[in-house]
Amino acid sequence: MRRKLLLLTVISFALSLSGQTQLLTPQREFTRADTLRGSITPERAWWNLLKYELHVTPDYDKQSLSGENAITFQAIADGQTMQIDLQEPMNLLSATWGKKSLSFVREGNVFHVRWPKPLKTGEIETVRLKFEGKPRIAVNPPWDGGWIWTKDKEGRAWMTVADEGLGASAWFPCKDHLYDEPDSGVVLSITVADSLVAIGNGRLRDKKSNGNGTTTWTWAVVNPINSYDIIPYIGKYVNWSEQYKGLKGNLDCNYWVLDYNLEKAKPQFKQVDTMLDAFEYWYGPYPFYEDGYKLVEAPHLGMEHQSNIAYGNRFENGYLGRDLSGTGWGLKWDFIIVHESGHEWFGNSITDKDAADMWIHEGFTNYAETLFTTYMYGEEAGNDYVIGTRKNITNGSTIIGTYDVNKEGSGDMYYKGGNMLHMIRQIIGDSAYRGMLHGLNRTFYHQTVTTQQIESYMSGYAGKDFSKIFDQYLRTTQIPVLTYQTSGEVISYRWTNCVKGFNMPIKVFVGGLPEKWIYPTDYWQTMPAGTDGQVILGSGGQMPPAAPAQQAGHRAPNGPGPRIQTVGATGNGSGGDGNLSVDRNFYIIMRKTG
């Protein structure tokens, strides 16, 4: 959600503290290893994941892991050799089927495991994989992922992993591709020292003392889950729980923090209720009632681990105390609680099939921040927030990445993706937009999807062809330009700097008249000039305000009301004139010619 960057996510994060975007995967030439990691190879395609039963024992002093993963699967075609992903320097010790050993050959970060005879379509089998090694250590989690071996402020062991983009195969053997999730979930057992607590996804199934100074904690997820969401947290945790009365009944909410942070965490985590209120309103029911909702303190900023969300935002509002929109609204709520929880709907329940489509995780979840702000503080507050984030858009490369090589697109998938969704919401209206979000979550509940599926659903639901909008904002770096000219009582206008056939409708102000819709295409059209071609100026050379409910503008928290602010060269500056200006909710450029 996973993905994800978090912003940053996320994310899934694509932001650094400087506000610059950061890709989860660096730009480079693609290799066979990228193809093995990122494509549905023949050795992956013939079998479907049903369940993981994963047992891991970390050794803090040696910074190493050992364990076993029992993978239950069903053959959906005849096959004999399966691809198992496990990244160097981790090592596969054995692969067994019942009491029989299976042969395997290593190719970089992949093991080709061969069965003694072809398995037939429909057969269900379990392969047990024993592994050990020193996993990659995270350099700058969650962006540069890996295993995290650290200490809390009292010097006690604190361990977890963040591996979105990098992949769960960095620490355990699995089918490490987004398209296939274990249909029946995961049982995760974690063996640690008796003095520590181990937390996994879903619900605690068992806690067993081993009589040798260690305890095994067993957690179970019954819903499908992508591999990078499967996460243990190990440390001196304490816990409290509450129930949220939601759309599907009582949702169990559990909170785990380091013991000395309990009193800071309790008031901060009360925001979970308002977050759930907002997202169940906009999206529909929380997708994992069976597994519960969990927020766990982590030694990094945060990540959207399914039913097991990582939290490291210092128990304060904003993004480590900053407002990424620059409007003030982002300081009224905890960024990690809102953003990472939004991924439960987009990223964890609805998951992209290929990392190239990561915008499905991050664009929708970035816009969840706006929807939350709107729900809590009103429409203009939400508009302020999303428009304020435009300064973070770079337009350096496209939002959609490269398919079949585990390569997501630009970090613009966050803010540009969110602004694209904001414009679609303007076009169809709040009621239809909310209905569309509910429909997406019903239609693609617990599924992996492609961009094409999401695009088709949104256009079909709205009864409008959004294909050119998606092409423009997802597949190019160009900001469309509304080019116009005035001649007497006529304004001529068209889209330029756009894909062929670009036809996004847009709200405009013509002279001093109320806001109206126009329907530009990439050829010239005309309309009457509301001021007979003359610029109308008020005192101080400013345009007179339109009716408050209709005008574009900006309102700061607890500040003055709206004022005219048209769209300029960055999509968020000054532009237009007294004859034609554009509603601020549209991320475009406006340019007068002639």
Side-chain angles (χ1 to χ4, degrees):
M1 64 165 244
R2 90 194 135 203
R3 242 85 321 63
K4 231 194 17 263
L5 90 121
L6 209 234
L7 253 139
L8 147 199
T9 143
V10 123
I11 7 310
S12 268
F13 298 77
L15 288 180
S16 66
L17 288 179
S18 66
Q20 298 299 307
T21 53
Q22 174 179 354
L23 300 183
L24 292 172
T25 306
Q27 297 277 6
R28 56 185 171 81
E29 293 186 6
F30 300 117
T31 65
R32 172 167 167 77
D34 295 315
T35 299
L36 287 173
R37 173 72 173 85
S39 66
I40 304 174
T41 63
E43 291 182 336
R44 281 173 167 162
W46 66 270
W47 56 284
N48 174 56
L49 267 174
L50 297 180
K51 190 174 186 179
Y52 288 141
E53 294 181 79
L54 174 61
H55 192 158
V56 61
T57 302
D59 187 320
Y60 181 85
D61 293 331
K62 295 180 179 179
Q63 297 191 342
S64 66
L65 304 173
S66 61
E68 177 181 280
N69 191 17
I71 302 177
T72 301
F73 65 95
Q74 182 173 32
I76 54 177
D78 293 356
Q80 189 169 9
T81 303
M82 64 195 313
Q83 176 178 327
I84 298 296
D85 303 289
L86 183 62
Q87 297 178 32
E88 296 176 324
M90 296 297 292
N91 192 38
L92 186 63
L93 301 178
S94 65
T96 57
W97 170 47
K99 295 183 179 180
K100 296 183 178 180
S101 295
L102 303 180
S103 63
F104 52 85
V105 175
R106 181 163 210 161
E107 182 184 4
N109 292 329
V110 162
F111 287 87
H112 305 281
V113 178
R114 187 170 179 83
W115 295 74
K117 60 183 178 65
L119 300 181
K120 300 297 183 182
T121 302
E123 288 189 64
I124 296 176
E125 299 291 352
T126 298
V127 58
R128 295 186 177 276
L129 306 168
K130 289 188 176 181
F131 63 96
E132 68 175 13
K134 293 188 174 184
R136 169 175 168 163
I137 296 174
V139 176
N140 182 29
W143 302 282
D144 188 350
W147 198 270
I148 302 165
W149 312 91
T150 189
K151 293 181 179 181
D152 65 22
K153 71 179 184 180
E154 294 189 3
R156 303 167 302 187
W158 196 12
M159 296 168 272
T160 187
V161 62
D163 56 32
E164 184 183 7
L166 173 64
S169 57
W171 64 281
F172 74 91
C174 59
K175 190 178 191 178
D176 203 0
H177 194 286
L178 290 165
Y179 90 100
D180 194 9
E181 300 178 349
D183 299 342
S184 299
V186 175
V187 176
L188 172 59
S189 297
I190 313 157
T191 298
V192 297
D194 288 340
S195 60
L196 299 174
V197 173
I199 305 159
N201 306 77
R203 299 181 184 273
L204 182 63
R205 180 172 289 184
D206 188 39
K207 177 186 174 184
K208 178 183 177 182
S209 174
N210 299 314
N212 60 356
T214 67
T215 297
T216 299
W217 302 69
T218 299
W219 298 79
V221 172
V222 300
N223 289 299
I225 183 172
N226 70 63
S227 58
Y228 75 72
D229 274 344
I230 303 169
I231 297 292
Y233 305 86
I234 302 159
K236 290 292 289 186
Y237 285 102
V238 293
N239 160 254
W240 81 97
S241 61
E242 297 174 348
Q243 280 196 332
Y244 171 78
K245 296 186 183 301
L247 294 179
K248 291 177 67 175
N250 291 331
L251 172 64
D252 293 328
C253 298
N254 278 274
Y255 307 104
W256 296 82
V257 298
L258 297 178
D259 48 11
Y260 51 75
N261 284 328
L262 181 62
E263 296 310 311
K264 288 191 292 186
K266 281 189 172 183
Q268 188 72 7
F269 286 7
K270 288 184 182 298
Q271 293 187 39
V272 168
D273 277 3
T274 55
M275 173 276 296
L276 289 168
D277 285 343
F279 290 161
E280 287 210 331
Y281 171 82
W282 282 108
Y283 294 148
Y286 175 75
F288 306 107
Y289 270 74
E290 301 85 354
D291 295 320
Y293 173 90
K294 192 153 59 267
L295 200 57
V296 185
E297 185 177 358
H300 59 82
L301 181 59
M303 189 60 71
E304 66 265 24
H305 306 136
Q306 184 174 313
S307 69
N308 200 28
I309 291 169
Y311 178 89
N313 202 37
R314 303 189 305 213
F315 309 103
E316 60 186 13
N317 286 351
Y319 175 98
L320 294 176
R322 296 174 59 232
D323 174 12
L324 297 175
S325 77
T327 65
W329 292 112
L331 293 176
K332 292 182 175 293
W333 41 269
D334 190 309
F335 180 92
I336 296 302
I337 291 175
V338 170
H339 182 95
E340 299 310 328
S341 299
H343 275 302
E344 294 281 50
W345 284 264
F346 287 94
N348 297 346
S349 179
I350 301 175
T351 306
D352 60 58
K353 286 182 182 290
D354 191 290
D357 289 335
M358 189 66 73
W359 81 272
I360 297 169
H361 300 194
E362 302 303 350
F364 279 95
T365 304
N366 169 268
Y367 196 56
E369 301 160 26
T370 296
L371 296 178
F372 176 82
T373 304
T374 301
Y375 182 88
M376 294 297 296
Y377 306 108
E379 182 176 354
E380 284 305 305
N383 293 347
D384 287 348
Y385 182 84
V386 68
I387 292 166
T389 66
R390 291 178 188 167
K391 65 182 181 296
N392 299 316
I393 301 173
T394 66
N395 284 308
S397 57
T398 60
I399 287 176
I400 291 181
T402 306
Y403 291 97
D404 297 325
V405 288
N406 193 45
K407 176 65 176 69
E408 74 287 346
S410 162
D412 282 348
M413 71 179 81
Y414 292 86
Y415 298 120
K416 191 175 178 183
N419 272 274
M420 180 190 74
L421 294 172
H422 187 63
M423 291 187 292
I424 290 174
R425 177 180 156 210
Q426 308 309 304
I427 293 168
I428 68 175
D430 278 11
S431 178
Y433 189 75
R434 180 179 170 228
M436 184 174 67
L437 293 176
H438 279 245
L440 281 167
N441 279 282
R442 286 192 303 268
T443 303
F444 300 114
Y445 181 76
H446 293 180
Q447 293 183 36
T448 60
V449 300
T450 64
T451 287
Q452 288 70 30
Q453 287 176 285
I454 297 297
E455 290 182 8
S456 295
Y457 183 90
M458 292 176 69
S459 292
Y461 184 93
K464 299 177 184 294
D465 183 1
F466 294 135
S467 60
K468 298 301 182 181
I469 297 176
F470 289 122
D471 285 346
Q472 182 74 36
Y473 289 96
L474 298 179
R475 299 179 176 90
T476 81
T477 59
Q478 298 168 302
I479 307 174
V481 176
L482 183 64
T483 301
Y484 74 101
Q485 57 188 19
T486 59
S487 177
E489 298 181 2
V490 174
I491 298 175
S492 301
Y493 59 93
R494 68 170 178 171
W495 287 118
T496 60
N497 198 44
C498 59
V499 298
K500 184 175 177 58
F502 186 65
N503 59 353
M504 183 175 73
I506 192 167
K507 287 181 181 180
V508 298
F509 297 90
V510 182
L513 297 179
E515 192 173 41
K516 63 179 286 185
W517 284 97
I518 61 173
Y519 300 85
T521 63
D522 52 1
Y523 58 87
W524 287 106
Q525 299 181 65
T526 61
M527 64 179 171
T531 60
D532 295 330
Q534 302 300 310
V535 176
I536 296 181
L537 297 178
S539 61
Q542 297 298 313
M543 286 183 63
Q550 297 170 321
Q551 62 189 343
H554 172 82
R555 181 172 59 202
N558 302 316
R563 62 182 184 272
I564 292 292
Q565 178 181 317
T566 54
V567 179
T570 65
N572 195 30
S574 61
D577 58 21
N579 298 294
L580 183 66
S581 58
V582 177
D583 187 295
R584 71 185 183 125
N585 290 300
F586 288 83
Y587 176 58
I588 68 162
I589 295 171
M590 192 168 186
R591 184 173 298 146
K592 186 175 183 179
T593 65

